[in-house]
Amino acid sequence: MIFLEQHCPCKSMKRYEDCCLPILNDEKPALNCEQLMRSRYTAYCVNNFEYIVNTYSLRARNEQNISVDFIKHQAASTKWLHLNVVNSHETSVEFKAFYQDGRAIYCLHELSYFVQENGKWRYDNGDLLGTTGKLKTGRNEACFCDSGKKFKHCCM
Ligand SMILES: [Zn+2]
Ligand SMILES: [Zn+2]
């Protein structure tokens, strides 16, 4: 997949090869749960479903029967637009991820919990927070990502 800009899909403003790419390629570990969370968001952006499955905790994988087909099906009609990390703690990250499904834009506002297995960070579970849901974003309205630009000139 080719990106028009060199920035990482996780919107860190770092270059892709200095951010999530070496983590996705297993050349570097995620040093904290925010890095793992960002790399999982990026994996959704680049359709690397295996990485998403592999970075669930064993408990979550067994209890929820998570497979590549399951993730692929879940992500089929979703186009990821933007990520804001709201708060980052030692074992949890609060974030807002924005995505498009059909013509509607949605916000996924989640507090995610992480565990370490064999020294590697893994996603365990998450709680959906208040502003999760459909957004009313007109083409000429301010973009949801707080850039100050109109939506049509920004994340659309
Ligand atoms: Zn990144
Ligand atoms: Zn935007």
Side-chain angles (χ1 to χ4, degrees):
M1 168 167 261
I2 297 162
F3 294 96
L4 294 177
E5 8 115 84
Q6 290 292 300
H7 286 150
C8 189
C10 82
K11 308 292 176 186
S12 61
M13 301 308 281
K14 290 186 206 154
R15 286 153 48 97
Y16 188 30
E17 52 265 51
D18 297 331
C19 191
C20 293
L21 184 62
I23 300 175
L24 290 174
N25 288 345
D26 209 16
E27 293 161 10
K28 263 172 55 180
L31 297 178
N32 51 51
C33 61
E34 181 180 332
Q35 280 188 3
L36 182 82
M37 185 265 138
R38 286 182 173 280
S39 69
R40 285 171 51 86
Y41 174 86
T42 296
Y44 275 106
C45 295
V46 300
N47 294 337
N48 187 341
F49 303 120
E50 256 169 62
Y51 182 83
I52 292 162
V53 170
N54 291 339
T55 50
Y56 268 97
S57 69
L58 286 176
R59 187 201 62 78
R61 254 198 274 179
N62 293 334
E63 273 180 23
Q64 298 168 49
N65 242 327
I66 286 159
S67 65
V68 168
D69 280 345
F70 171 79
I71 302 289
K72 211 185 255 181
H73 180 76
Q74 213 184 28
S77 59
T78 302
K79 183 184 167 214
W80 293 94
L81 301 174
H82 195 79
L83 174 69
N84 282 345
V85 173
V86 179
N87 257 309
S88 184
H89 306 283
E90 196 159 335
T91 58
S92 66
V93 179
E94 179 187 346
F95 67 88
K96 288 182 181 180
F98 298 92
Y99 63 95
Q100 188 169 353
D101 191 342
R103 297 186 63 183
I105 311 282
Y106 297 84
C107 173
L108 171 71
H109 187 182
E110 186 180 310
L111 180 59
S112 292
Y113 300 97
F114 299 85
V115 294
Q116 278 185 298
E117 288 172 354
N118 300 322
K120 290 183 173 172
W121 283 103
R122 296 289 181 247
Y123 172 69
D124 194 53
N125 63 83
D127 291 329
L128 293 182
L129 301 177
T131 60
T132 293
K134 199 171 172 177
L135 302 179
K136 289 197 180 75
T137 307
R139 291 168 55 86
N140 289 309
E141 286 173 43
C143 191
F144 51 77
C145 75
D146 292 334
S147 63
K149 294 184 212 161
K150 286 181 180 178
F151 178 48
K152 67 178 176 188
H153 295 310
C154 191
C155 291
M156 193 166 118

